[in-house]
Amino acid sequence: MQSFEYYCPTEIIFGKGAESKVAEKIHQHGGKNVMIIYGGGSAVKSGLLAKIERHLMAGGFTALRVLGGVKPNPRVNFAREGVREALAANIDFILAVGGGSVIDTAKAVAIGAANPGIDIWDFWQKKYPVEKSLPVGVVLTIAAAGSESSDSAVLTDEESGKKAGLTGIFNRPAFAIMNPEMTYTVPKYPLICGISDIIMHTLERYFSNIEGNEFTDLVAESLMKNVINQSKIVINDTHDYDAMSEIMWCGSVSHTGFTGLGRDRDFSAHKLGHELGGRYDVAHGASLTTMWAWWARTVYTTKPERFARLAENIFGVTEGSVDEKANAFIDKLEQYFKEIGMPTNFTELGIGVQKEDELKYLANMCTSNGTKEVATFKPMNFDLVLEIYKKANH
């Protein structure tokens, strides 16, 4: 193993009925005035929001502030509204009831409420370091982004169309309540987007030029293979508790950093996909599957043996040269995404074939107008980013 530092303080409360402990856990982390943040109507229609409020009221929280309406690709303006309401109500604890977009919004509100003199987008633009935040708790409703235990959060600025991530220890939630039964009502498309995101979070850490992390490799490979196998069960039966519990836990582990210990994080597909999300407001997981295979085919020669190893350990491909097995892995994973209903090019994503100027716009956004290279496995400059976008543009 190569050197690493690992810190994941999030307490996990996993299993049936885990949500009954929500008030107890907020008390343990010093919360007195709680703001609940949630997304669309599903939390209301399913009765989950009312159930959480009852648990909190029974636990002594009599004055709750509730803020709903978080959208996918969470907006900075909505988070700013949350900051204003949190400050007005003297909120000292933020509870996210939802998935990745809700959790990332809660993290942003927590940072903004703890730093009232600074606009939260300035933190996401790295103008200021984050040195304090309110504690955040999570009641997870979808296995997907892993934000419930990660140190990162993503926001989209509607005015510029820029989607940006922020990483740091203050983004780690205090606790995450994870009951797989809460995911039973998730529609198919968000479900498969979430499954894809779990796989992508693991792949983005797997592709590295740093060698000598065998245990990390084995963990990552086993996690991806498990998610692929369990997804075939869940897609046909969303109420299969055992399969859903496996996917939910894999989603959380995939983004804690544990699957990438001892090496750097690449996140090439995320950087390419974020620009699609910011520009066209497409689902995050869909933007990743749209770009991944085209990125992989363009850069796999950087270290073809990494791709070949995945072909063997995930899909059982043992015949052929290293290059043949590497390409077999790319083809098989792309085919898996297609089989579960995910897009793999611009037309399937729903944005259609784009003109040259639009592709250049995306490449400029990705590389800060061509002033910097992004990613680490194969650093991508403007020309390389543009080439990959062109390959996906059909």
Side-chain angles (χ1 to χ4, degrees), residues 150-391:
S150 82
D151 63 354
S152 63
V154 175
L155 286 179
T156 299
D157 176 41
E158 303 96 312
E159 295 178 5
S160 66
K162 181 67 177 176
K163 191 172 183 179
L166 177 68
T167 300
I169 60 171
F170 290 99
N171 273 331
R172 296 278 193 189
F175 66 79
I177 289 172
M178 301 168 62
N179 178 355
E181 293 175 321
M182 294 182 188
T183 69
Y184 286 174
T185 59
V186 174
K188 182 180 179 181
Y189 191 63
L191 172 66
I192 60 177
C193 282
I195 289 168
S196 301
D197 200 12
I198 295 168
I199 294 170
M200 293 304 307
H201 278 154
T202 313
L203 285 172
E204 299 278 46
R205 293 176 170 86
Y206 191 89
F207 290 107
S208 170
N209 293 303
I210 299 174
E211 300 286 354
N213 298 291
E214 182 64 17
F215 179 64
T216 298
D217 284 346
L218 291 171
V219 169
E221 291 160 5
S222 296
L223 189 151
M224 288 187 283
K225 187 173 183 178
N226 190 37
V227 170
I228 289 171
N229 290 337
Q230 300 296 341
S231 70
K232 296 173 183 177
I233 300 172
V234 164
I235 289 171
N236 290 319
D237 181 7
T238 59
H239 286 58
D240 189 304
Y241 180 87
D242 291 335
M244 188 64 81
S245 67
E246 293 285 340
I247 292 175
M248 178 175 263
W249 182 230
C250 284
S252 191
V253 172
S254 73
H255 211 23
T256 62
F258 189 71
T259 59
L261 295 182
R263 55 179 176 241
D264 49 15
R265 302 194 300 180
D266 183 66
F267 277 68
S268 294
H270 272 71
K271 291 177 173 62
L272 295 164
H274 277 176
E275 303 312 330
L276 299 180
R279 184 68 164 172
Y280 307 110
D281 197 25
V282 295
H284 175 60
S287 74
L288 301 181
T289 61
T290 294
M291 297 308 307
W292 185 80
W294 307 110
W295 166 83
R297 292 188 178 104
T298 304
V299 308
Y300 86 92
T301 54
T302 301
K303 197 174 281 287
E305 59 272 16
R306 294 296 284 169
F307 293 85
R309 173 171 170 153
L310 289 176
E312 293 185 31
N313 293 348
I314 293 181
F315 292 113
V317 177
T318 58
E319 301 295 328
S321 66
V322 169
D323 270 13
E324 288 171 338
K325 286 189 285 189
N327 279 289
F329 172 69
I330 298 169
D331 291 344
K332 284 182 176 296
L333 187 61
E334 182 183 50
Q335 185 59 36
Y336 163 76
F337 287 140
K338 285 177 176 290
E339 287 174 356
I340 65 173
M342 293 300 292
T344 58
N345 59 54
F346 280 12
T347 298
E348 293 174 0
L349 183 62
I351 63 175
V353 176
Q354 299 297 314
K355 295 181 179 179
E356 178 87 3
D357 286 348
E358 186 70 2
L359 299 180
K360 289 181 178 179
Y361 169 85
L362 295 170
N364 273 318
M365 290 291 284
C366 189
T367 61
S368 298
N369 292 317
T371 62
K372 66 179 183 181
E373 294 183 333
V374 295
T376 58
F377 180 69
K378 170 68 174 178
M380 301 185 298
N381 59 18
F382 173 88
D383 291 334
L384 184 56
V385 169
L386 182 60
E387 177 186 348
I388 297 170
Y389 279 133
K390 285 181 176 179
K391 290 178 178 179

Side-chain angles (χ1 to χ4, degrees), residues 7-138:
Y7 178 62
C8 185
T10 303
E11 180 183 7
I12 305 295
I13 305 96
F14 191 99
K16 295 179 180 180
E19 65 276 13
S20 65
K21 297 184 178 181
V22 62
E24 171 190 339
K25 294 304 173 183
I26 294 175
H27 280 304
Q28 287 179 5
H29 291 280
K32 295 181 176 61
N33 299 318
V34 180
M35 170 180 277
I36 301 174
I37 296 178
Y38 69 98
S42 61
V44 177
K45 292 177 183 178
S46 68
L48 176 60
L49 184 62
K51 186 177 184 180
I52 295 302
E53 289 180 298
R54 286 196 299 271
H55 283 308
L56 292 178
M57 297 292 280
F61 296 98
T62 58
L64 302 173
R65 183 60 64 95
V66 180
L67 180 64
V70 175
K71 297 179 180 179
N73 297 310
R75 276 63 162 176
V76 67
N77 281 336
F78 185 92
R80 287 180 178 127
E81 178 185 344
V83 171
R84 289 191 291 270
E85 291 200 20
L87 290 172
N90 293 316
I91 296 299
D92 59 15
F93 194 97
I94 310 294
L95 181 67
V97 179
S101 293
V102 172
I103 301 167
D104 285 1
T105 299
K107 292 177 180 181
V109 173
I111 290 172
N115 300 273
I118 303 175
D119 179 64
I120 52 175
W121 188 242
D122 286 342
F123 289 115
W124 265 253
Q125 292 300 290
K126 313 301 188 296
K127 294 181 180 179
Y128 301 97
V130 179
E131 297 176 338
K132 57 183 176 179
S133 179
L134 300 183
V136 173
V138 175

